[in-house]
């Protein structure tokens, strides 16, 4: 859509290397907390809501059905998640469990990619390594802020490509027993390891992801449509931003349209409120009476890959806060 000058050039030129200049606060500057966030559990008590993290968040293509989004959170689910984040922060502070990433430090996340195939053909899911390597490049550029948004603390290092031919797991059906079997069999690493599952997906979904939680769950990870990787065949969604979007959820970001025009929205103060998902690239769209036009260029909306290019400073801060609370090894 022409909103990102030279973006494709930058993305094919390799990962930009730069020093973080953004001050990311572990106190989540720019994050709007839920009203009950600091009264959910006594200090030091590990009280995880039973259903606070049992969801997966998604990205839906134009023409798909948002109702099929496996985790468009309710207001109650958001309150539970925000309360749990506060409790996890207190737990870390009280017991000093695990290292805390300093505001200006960088975090390199190990990435294991599982390529789920029906057979050995490209149509059967056997995408080339080159697409996967390009996806890692896109993640690094997006999270470094080199596509135009705020820099975050995160970088990504591919450690393994695991190819699995199993027709019973193909296509990947969200919420199915086959998905659980797949992840239970394949997931590797600790809470700090990003597991990405690639394949054909059900229900017109481009991808989905789990939010972080205090106890490691075998379902933890990101599922992405294989042909949405850079150079894939998913028209308008083949520059790798589905991966960027889903990793955002894995690092605790909500959709920009979470909560619509009321309440705390996506719990980040510098993303303007948005009544509903934006598709294609509706420049100038403004669905809420509060300040700011809809954040259609934000990675956490539903617009075309050519339209989205940024995280905000508040989102960067929220991700680092959640990393320290949940995923820091």
């Amino acid at each position: 859509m022409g909103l990102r000058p030279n973006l494709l050039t930058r993305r094919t030129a390799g990962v930009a290397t730069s020093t973080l200049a953004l001050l990311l606060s572990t106190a989540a500057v720019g994050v709007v907390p839920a009203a009950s966030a600091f009264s959910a559990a006594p200090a030091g008590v590990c009280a995880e809501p039973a259903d606070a993290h049992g969801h997966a968040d998604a990205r839906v293509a134009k023409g798909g059905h948002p109702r099929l989004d496996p985790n468009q959170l309710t207001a109650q689910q958001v309150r539970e998640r925000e309360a749990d984040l506060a409790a996890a922060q207190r737990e870390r502070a009280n017991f000093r469990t695990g290292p805390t990433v300093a505001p200006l430090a960088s975090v390199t996340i190990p990435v294991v990619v599982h390529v789920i195939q029906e057979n050995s053909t490209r149509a059967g899911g056997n995408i080339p390594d080159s697409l996967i390597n390009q996806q890692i490049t896109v993640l690094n550029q997006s999270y470094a802020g080199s596509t135009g948004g705020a820099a975050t603390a995160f970088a990504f290092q591919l450690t393994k490509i695991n190819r699995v031919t199993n027709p019973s797991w193909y296509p990947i059906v969200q919420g199915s027993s086959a998905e659980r079997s797949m992840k239970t069999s394949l997931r590797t690493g600790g809470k700090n390891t990003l597991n990405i599952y690639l394949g054909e997906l059900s229900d017109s979904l481009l991808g989905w992801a789990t939010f972080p939680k205090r106890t490691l769950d075998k379902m933890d990870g990101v599922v992405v449509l294989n042909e949405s990787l850079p150079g894939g065949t998913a028209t308008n969604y083949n520059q790798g931003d589905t991966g960027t979007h889903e990793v955002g959820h894995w690092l605790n970001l909500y959709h920009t349209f979470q909560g619509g025009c009321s309440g705390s929205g996506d719990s980040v103060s510098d993303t303007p409120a948005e009544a509903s998902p934006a598709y294609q690239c509706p420049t100038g769209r403004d669905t809420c009476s509060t300040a700011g036009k809809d954040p259609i260029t934000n990675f956490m909306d539903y617009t075309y890959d050519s339209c989205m290019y940024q995280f905000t400073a508040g989102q960067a801060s929220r991700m680092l806060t959640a990393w320290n609370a949940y995923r820091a090894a």
Side-chain angles (χ1 to χ4, degrees):
M1 289 290 175
L3 292 184
R4 293 182 281 181
N6 301 319
L7 175 57
L8 289 177
T9 300
R10 291 202 301 274
R11 281 190 168 170
T12 56
V15 179
T17 57
S18 61
T19 301
L20 274 177
L22 175 67
L23 179 62
L24 301 176
S25 169
T26 55
V29 174
V31 176
V32 180
S36 61
F38 291 95
S39 59
V45 175
C46 181
E48 187 170 27
D51 196 36
H53 308 287
H55 313 284
D57 220 332
R59 188 180 181 207
V60 179
K62 176 67 175 175
H65 302 284
R67 64 181 176 80
L68 295 175
D69 183 331
N71 190 22
Q72 185 54 43
L73 301 185
T74 66
Q76 177 61 31
Q77 288 166 344
V78 170
R79 285 193 294 270
E80 289 174 350
R81 285 206 49 79
E82 295 306 291
D84 189 72
L85 174 58
Q89 288 178 278
R90 287 196 303 272
E91 184 178 306
R92 283 268 179 168
N94 289 339
F95 294 99
R96 292 182 174 85
T97 55
T100 297
V101 179
L104 291 179
S106 61
V107 179
T108 298
I109 298 174
V111 181
V112 177
V113 174
H114 307 280
V115 180
I116 309 304
Q117 305 171 183
E118 183 176 39
N119 53 52
S120 61
T121 68
R122 173 75 177 260
N126 185 21
I127 61 170
D129 287 358
S130 59
L131 268 66
I132 297 169
N133 290 324
Q134 290 173 46
Q135 178 67 72
I136 300 300
T137 296
V138 167
L139 289 177
N140 277 304
Q141 292 180 334
S142 300
Y143 282 82
S146 61
T147 60
T152 80
F154 301 100
F156 303 85
Q157 182 176 10
L158 180 64
T159 61
K160 182 179 181 181
I161 297 175
N162 177 36
R163 295 182 177 273
V164 179
T165 300
N166 188 336
S168 67
W169 293 345
Y170 195 92
I172 304 172
V173 179
Q174 196 280 325
S176 66
S177 59
E179 182 195 9
R180 177 167 292 278
S181 173
M182 174 188 74
K183 289 183 173 180
T184 300
S185 300
L186 300 180
R187 195 196 183 284
T188 62
K191 289 190 288 185
N192 67 324
T193 301
L194 172 60
N195 281 245
I196 300 178
Y197 303 86
L198 303 176
E200 181 67 27
L201 307 186
S202 65
D203 301 322
S204 299
L205 293 171
L206 292 166
W208 60 86
T210 55
F211 291 112
K213 58 186 296 186
R214 281 181 273 170
T215 56
L216 180 60
D217 188 328
K218 280 290 190 179
M219 296 300 287
D220 180 79
V222 166
V223 179
V224 174
L225 176 65
N226 49 17
E227 293 293 352
S228 75
L229 271 59
T233 61
T235 304
N236 297 315
Y237 303 100
N238 59 355
Q239 294 181 26
D241 286 333
T242 292
T244 302
H245 177 105
E246 299 307 337
V247 172
H249 289 314
W250 187 78
L251 291 169
N252 209 41
L253 294 185
Y254 301 133
H255 290 131
T256 51
F257 48 86
Q258 176 65 49
C261 298
S262 61
S264 61
D266 66 350
S267 299
V268 179
S269 63
D270 61 358
T271 55
E274 185 177 26
S276 60
Y279 294 97
Q280 298 178 335
C281 195
T283 304
R285 184 178 190 252
D286 192 1
T287 56
C288 295
S289 60
T290 51
K293 288 183 169 53
D294 291 0
I296 65 166
T297 60
N298 195 281
F299 287 122
M300 301 313 294
D301 208 334
Y302 274 179
T303 50
Y304 286 162
D305 283 15
S306 59
C307 188
M308 55 174 59
Y309 64 88
Q310 65 177 324
F311 292 114
T312 67
Q315 288 175 315
S317 179
R318 178 177 172 84
M319 286 188 279
L320 184 58
T321 296
W323 181 268
N324 282 326
Y326 292 116
R327 295 198 182 278

